[in-house]
Structure formats: C-alpha cells, structure tokens
Amino acid sequence: MKNLRFVLGDQLTHKISVLAGADPETDVILMVEVDSETQSVRHHKKKISFILSAMRAFGDELAARGFFVDYVKLDKLGNCGTFTGELMRALERHKPDHVVLTEASEWRVLEMQRGWLETCDVPIRLLPDNRFICDRPRFVAWAQGRKSLVMEYFYRDMRRLTGLLMDGDQPAGGRWNFDAENRRPAKPDLWMTAPLRFPPSARTEEVLKLVDARFGDHFGDNAPFWFATTAKEAEQARDHFLKNNLPQFGSTQDAMQRDQPFMNHAVLALYLNVGLLDPLDLCRRAEQEWICGRAPLAAVEGFIRQIIGWREFVRGIYWLNMPNYTKLNHFGASRPLPSFYWSGETKMACMRAVIGQTKIHAYAHHIQRLMVTGNFALLAGLDPHEVHLWYLSVYADAFEWVEAPNTIGMALFADGGILATKPYAASGSYIHKMGNYCATCVYDPKIKSGPHACPFNPLYWDFIGRHQDQLGRNPRMGPVYATWRKMDSARKGHISQDTEQIIAAMTAGTL
C-alpha cells in the first residue's frame, strides 16, 4: 500500500505521527514551501529563512534514511503557492492509496486539512499532533466544569503527570512554584553567555539568497543568521544553555538590560515549536541539572514551568477558544499600530531597544514582549488584532497557537480574563526597576506629568481610569483603584491632558 505522507514546516521531528510506520519501500514524503504560508502575514525575513532552512535539512535527513522525498521548493517551476494546490499536484504525480497527515498546529491550516477530507478522492488519515505533553482531549477534560482556568493548577497536574520535580506525590523542595525568587533585576556586572551560534550551511546560504530576493521588503534583518537548522545543532544549543545559563536563568528571567538581548534566556522556543527539540526531553535534562547539583531548584522549576506549564496551557487555551479568539477585544481598543513598531524610531529608549533587537534577531524575551511592547499596546489602546499580527510576524518562534494567547490574553487582556486574572499593566517605574533602559532615555520614569514624563506613567493611569467599570471589581486590582479614587480632579486632569499629547505624538511619529 502506497502512502503519501505530507509533513508541514513545523513538524520537523522523526517522531511525528505522520511518519509513524512509514515504509521507505513504498511511501512518499511530501514537503512543500508555498507563498501562501510565507506571506500569511509579513513574516520577519529571518523567521522565513529559519523555517525554510530547517525544512530543507529535515527533508535531506529523511532522504538519507532511504525515503523518497518529494520536496517542492519555493522557486520551483510550477509551484502553485498553496498547500491545497501542491497536495493536488502531488496526488497526480504519485497516485497514492492513502494520504497521511498530522493535524496542523494552527486553526487556519487545520481547517484546510479538514476540507481535504471532503474534497480529495483519496482516503486521508488525519492524525493527532503528538509533539505536546497534554493533548487536546486531555486539556478539554481538565478544563470542563471549571469556573476559571488557572495555569498554576494546570501546571501542578502536569508535574504529577510527568513526575518532573516530584518527591513522591509532593513537589520537590516542598513548593510548587519558586517564582517569588525569580523576579530580581540584573546587576550591571552580571556575566551572561550568549546563545550558541551556528554559521550558515551551504543549504542555508541558498535559502538566505532566496529570502532576500523574494521578501526583501519584509521586516527585519536576514543577516547575521545564526540559528540552528537541524536537530543536532538544536541539541547543541540546548546543552550550551543548560551548562552556561540555566543556573542563573531563574533569578534574572524578568530582568532587562540594554545591549543584552538574551540575558540568561534559553532561546530554544523556536526549536521546540518546529519540532527540532522535544519538550519533555528538554525538561528532564533540566531536572537532571538540579539533581546533579549544577543548577538551583528555583531556576530549574521556573524553566520547566514555562514549558510544561505555560507553553502547554496557552496551547490548550488556543484550541479551546478558536476560531474567535483572535477577534476578541474586551476593552474595545481601536487605535492603529504606530509606525515605530516597524521602524523602531521612537524616543522611548525601552521601545527602541526591544524593537531594534527584534529587527536584528527576530527575538525578544518574554518580559520585553509583555512589559514593554505589549504593555505600551495595552495602555495606548492599540487594536488587539493589529498587535497580534505584529507579534505573529516579527518573532521566529511565533506560531499562532502560542502567540495569540500570549498577545490577546496575556499582554492585552483582550479576552477579558480567559487566560489571565488581571491585565499586566504597569507604569514606567516597573521598566525602570527591572531594566536599565531609562538611564539613556529622554523621558524620566520618576516624572509623573509633563513633556519629560515617561509616557508609560500617564498612559497607565489613563488606562486605569478609562476601564474602572470593567476592572474596578477585580480583587487583584483593588489597591490600584483605591489609589485612583483618592486622586484629586486636578491630577486626573493632568493625566488626561498628557495622554492626549502622547497619543497625538504617537500618531504623528514624534513620540
């Protein structure tokens, strides 16, 4: 029996369900690069280069294992530019008895696959995505009957399920969560080892030239390109992080430093999200660093929580609430995305730094995304869908299943509390406390009003005032609204005037 096994660009693991039981003697592996996916949003050039390079490397690995790989490159003559079109062409070429697929990670593509079940004359087997610890039915069962979905409780169940950092039925160290120990700003003399970098292979150089030629007007820099593009390289990057950065990861994971884009973060999410690394294996290796005394429990727990807790949780939220989740707009925010989100040209030092490093590396760590670019978008009332598309475009690790909940739910609270229990809104004092951007900024976080005040300060209180009806009864916002209610009318008037001037400057491109 001849099968056509269609492997997508984020399914680059030999353990993926579409390849289970594959027979090199009879089966054909189909992999395609198509314009409709490279331009579903205007992806960062480096993101496109990473995915295409990793796809080509994986195709070569499959061929080395004896498979016939029908690999359709982006610039191949006759490439029709869509998954559906390329599948139909492959059916004509190979005339298989069956088509085998793994469910796509994004709603849009999964709907496309479901459409093929109805329109293809060849029988199709659509298999579950087995790259995650908590499959979709398990998450639905966990969520059923709960008044609210709290990540911490989900995370504890994932700890019990996997046995990670468990002492029998109790958490190692007597606590589930060491987050209180992981919120310190970084000292200026902190030594940080940069992520492992890989020189582009000849295969990648070919992709870089293709991307520069076809997507030269997309956001971001293609060079220097240093991402891993094979599982072997990704595993080297993993081991480098575990040895050099994991011990300090915990205490500084919320810190931000000018000219230190990576801090002690892993920069492994992009490899996890395309299949080059296995999440459970990564967590077990991190756990082993604690067992062997090479990394403190707080750091290891915080790292593992991001993977088996947060990463798995946001995926569950995504599938539970699609297809309408990306359209949610709890606060009715409608201002268009300012041009400086693309250019980085703003006098705000923190925004300039984060957008600038995003342009260069297609990367910013989670606090930069949440508390700088996301926080500004929340306070300024930017349209959530536009902000969502920006995040989906500019980061190499951004796939909709993980990006949308982090943007719509976590950063913007546009889902009204499905994901988070309160908005992560903050004034300039938070950014000043956790980073060193403010030292070189024309705006001062210690000034509350006037032209020299940090824009985050009036924007924060204006946001609080605008949304008192929606947030005033939130128990986690109680102290904030107690302060707001005590403010005199003159102070509130200054906040309103300052906000108007900030929004006008933002619109004019002079902020």
Side-chain angles (χ1 to χ4, degrees), residues 352-372:
R352 186 171 65 246
V354 174
I355 295 168
Q357 76 174 58
T358 297
K359 180 176 180 290
I360 295 169
H361 298 294
Y363 173 83
H365 65 71
H366 69 275
I367 292 298
Q368 293 174 315
R369 300 189 203 192
L370 177 64
M371 300 310 299
V372 180

Short mmCIF file of all heavy atoms in Angstrom, two decimals, residues 352-372:
data_model
loop_
_atom_site.label_atom_id
_atom_site.label_comp_id
_atom_site.label_asym_id
_atom_site.label_seq_id
_atom_site.Cartn_x
_atom_site.Cartn_y
_atom_site.Cartn_z
N ARG A 352 12.57 51.46 21.76
CA ARG A 352 13.58 51.48 20.69
C ARG A 352 14.51 50.28 20.79
O ARG A 352 14.83 49.63 19.79
CB ARG A 352 14.37 52.78 20.79
CG ARG A 352 15.36 53.00 19.64
CD ARG A 352 15.95 54.40 19.68
NE ARG A 352 16.77 54.62 20.87
CZ ARG A 352 16.47 55.49 21.84
NH1 ARG A 352 15.35 56.20 21.77
NH2 ARG A 352 17.27 55.64 22.88
N ALA A 353 14.92 49.94 22.01
CA ALA A 353 15.84 48.81 22.20
C ALA A 353 15.18 47.48 21.86
O ALA A 353 15.77 46.63 21.17
CB ALA A 353 16.35 48.80 23.64
N VAL A 354 13.96 47.27 22.35
CA VAL A 354 13.29 45.99 22.14
C VAL A 354 12.93 45.79 20.68
O VAL A 354 13.13 44.71 20.11
CB VAL A 354 12.05 45.87 23.05
CG1 VAL A 354 11.26 44.61 22.73
CG2 VAL A 354 12.46 45.88 24.52
N ILE A 355 12.42 46.83 20.04
CA ILE A 355 12.07 46.71 18.61
C ILE A 355 13.34 46.57 17.78
O ILE A 355 13.38 45.80 16.81
CB ILE A 355 11.22 47.90 18.16
CG1 ILE A 355 9.87 47.88 18.89
CG2 ILE A 355 11.00 47.88 16.65
CD1 ILE A 355 9.06 49.15 18.75
N GLY A 356 14.39 47.27 18.18
CA GLY A 356 15.65 47.18 17.45
C GLY A 356 16.23 45.77 17.50
O GLY A 356 16.67 45.23 16.48
N GLN A 357 16.23 45.14 18.68
CA GLN A 357 16.76 43.78 18.75
C GLN A 357 15.83 42.79 18.06
O GLN A 357 16.30 41.78 17.50
CB GLN A 357 17.00 43.36 20.20
CG GLN A 357 15.76 43.00 20.99
CD GLN A 357 16.08 42.46 22.36
OE1 GLN A 357 16.74 43.12 23.16
NE2 GLN A 357 15.61 41.25 22.65
N THR A 358 14.53 43.08 18.05
CA THR A 358 13.59 42.23 17.31
C THR A 358 13.90 42.28 15.82
O THR A 358 13.86 41.25 15.14
CB THR A 358 12.15 42.70 17.59
OG1 THR A 358 11.85 42.54 18.97
CG2 THR A 358 11.14 41.92 16.76
N LYS A 359 14.21 43.45 15.33
CA LYS A 359 14.55 43.61 13.92
C LYS A 359 15.81 42.80 13.58
O LYS A 359 15.87 42.14 12.54
CB LYS A 359 14.77 45.09 13.61
CG LYS A 359 15.14 45.40 12.18
CD LYS A 359 15.23 46.92 11.98
CE LYS A 359 15.59 47.27 10.54
NZ LYS A 359 17.00 46.92 10.23
N ILE A 360 16.79 42.82 14.45
CA ILE A 360 18.06 42.13 14.18
C ILE A 360 17.93 40.62 14.37
O ILE A 360 18.36 39.84 13.51
CB ILE A 360 19.17 42.67 15.10
CG1 ILE A 360 19.45 44.15 14.78
CG2 ILE A 360 20.46 41.86 14.94
CD1 ILE A 360 20.35 44.83 15.81
N HIS A 361 17.34 40.20 15.48
CA HIS A 361 17.40 38.79 15.88
C HIS A 361 16.09 38.02 15.70
O HIS A 361 16.08 36.80 15.92
CB HIS A 361 17.81 38.68 17.34
CG HIS A 361 19.16 39.24 17.64
ND1 HIS A 361 20.32 38.69 17.14
CD2 HIS A 361 19.56 40.31 18.39
CE1 HIS A 361 21.36 39.37 17.57
NE2 HIS A 361 20.94 40.36 18.33
N ALA A 362 14.98 38.68 15.37
CA ALA A 362 13.66 38.02 15.37
C ALA A 362 13.39 37.42 16.74
O ALA A 362 12.76 36.37 16.87
CB ALA A 362 13.54 36.97 14.27
N TYR A 363 13.86 38.11 17.78
CA TYR A 363 13.76 37.60 19.15
C TYR A 363 13.69 38.74 20.15
O TYR A 363 14.35 39.77 20.00
CB TYR A 363 14.99 36.73 19.49
CG TYR A 363 15.03 36.32 20.95
CD1 TYR A 363 14.31 35.22 21.39
CD2 TYR A 363 15.75 37.06 21.90
CE1 TYR A 363 14.31 34.85 22.73
CE2 TYR A 363 15.76 36.70 23.23
CZ TYR A 363 15.03 35.61 23.65
OH TYR A 363 15.02 35.25 24.98
N ALA A 364 12.86 38.57 21.16
CA ALA A 364 12.89 39.35 22.40
C ALA A 364 12.40 38.41 23.49
O ALA A 364 11.55 37.55 23.23
CB ALA A 364 12.00 40.59 22.31
N HIS A 365 12.93 38.53 24.69
CA HIS A 365 12.49 37.59 25.72
C HIS A 365 11.13 37.98 26.27
O HIS A 365 10.59 39.05 25.97
CB HIS A 365 13.55 37.40 26.80
CG HIS A 365 13.88 38.59 27.64
ND1 HIS A 365 13.00 39.10 28.58
CD2 HIS A 365 14.99 39.37 27.71
CE1 HIS A 365 13.56 40.13 29.19
NE2 HIS A 365 14.76 40.32 28.68
N HIS A 366 10.54 37.12 27.10
CA HIS A 366 9.11 37.24 27.41
C HIS A 366 8.76 38.51 28.18
O HIS A 366 7.68 39.07 27.98
CB HIS A 366 8.62 36.00 28.17
CG HIS A 366 9.15 35.86 29.56
ND1 HIS A 366 10.35 35.27 29.84
CD2 HIS A 366 8.63 36.22 30.77
CE1 HIS A 366 10.56 35.27 31.15
NE2 HIS A 366 9.53 35.84 31.73
N ILE A 367 9.66 39.02 29.02
CA ILE A 367 9.34 40.24 29.74
C ILE A 367 9.41 41.45 28.81
O ILE A 367 8.60 42.39 28.93
CB ILE A 367 10.29 40.41 30.95
CG1 ILE A 367 9.97 39.33 31.99
CG2 ILE A 367 10.14 41.79 31.58
CD1 ILE A 367 8.56 39.40 32.56
N GLN A 368 10.32 41.45 27.88
CA GLN A 368 10.35 42.53 26.89
C GLN A 368 9.06 42.55 26.07
O GLN A 368 8.50 43.61 25.79
CB GLN A 368 11.55 42.34 25.97
CG GLN A 368 12.89 42.54 26.67
CD GLN A 368 14.05 42.22 25.75
OE1 GLN A 368 14.04 41.20 25.05
NE2 GLN A 368 15.06 43.07 25.74
N ARG A 369 8.58 41.37 25.69
CA ARG A 369 7.35 41.31 24.89
C ARG A 369 6.14 41.71 25.73
O ARG A 369 5.25 42.42 25.24
CB ARG A 369 7.16 39.89 24.35
CG ARG A 369 8.27 39.40 23.45
CD ARG A 369 7.92 38.07 22.78
NE ARG A 369 9.12 37.35 22.38
CZ ARG A 369 9.13 36.30 21.57
NH1 ARG A 369 7.99 35.84 21.07
NH2 ARG A 369 10.26 35.68 21.27
N LEU A 370 6.10 41.25 26.97
CA LEU A 370 4.93 41.51 27.81
C LEU A 370 4.91 42.91 28.39
O LEU A 370 3.90 43.61 28.30
CB LEU A 370 4.89 40.48 28.95
CG LEU A 370 3.77 40.63 29.99
CD1 LEU A 370 2.40 40.43 29.34
CD2 LEU A 370 3.97 39.64 31.13
N MET A 371 6.02 43.33 28.98
CA MET A 371 6.02 44.55 29.79
C MET A 371 6.57 45.78 29.08
O MET A 371 6.54 46.88 29.64
CB MET A 371 6.82 44.31 31.08
CG MET A 371 6.27 43.19 31.95
SD MET A 371 4.49 43.30 32.29
CE MET A 371 4.40 44.87 33.16
N VAL A 372 7.05 45.63 27.85
CA VAL A 372 7.47 46.80 27.08
C VAL A 372 6.53 46.97 25.88
O VAL A 372 5.60 47.77 25.94
CB VAL A 372 8.95 46.70 26.65
CG1 VAL A 372 9.36 47.94 25.84
CG2 VAL A 372 9.86 46.59 27.88
#
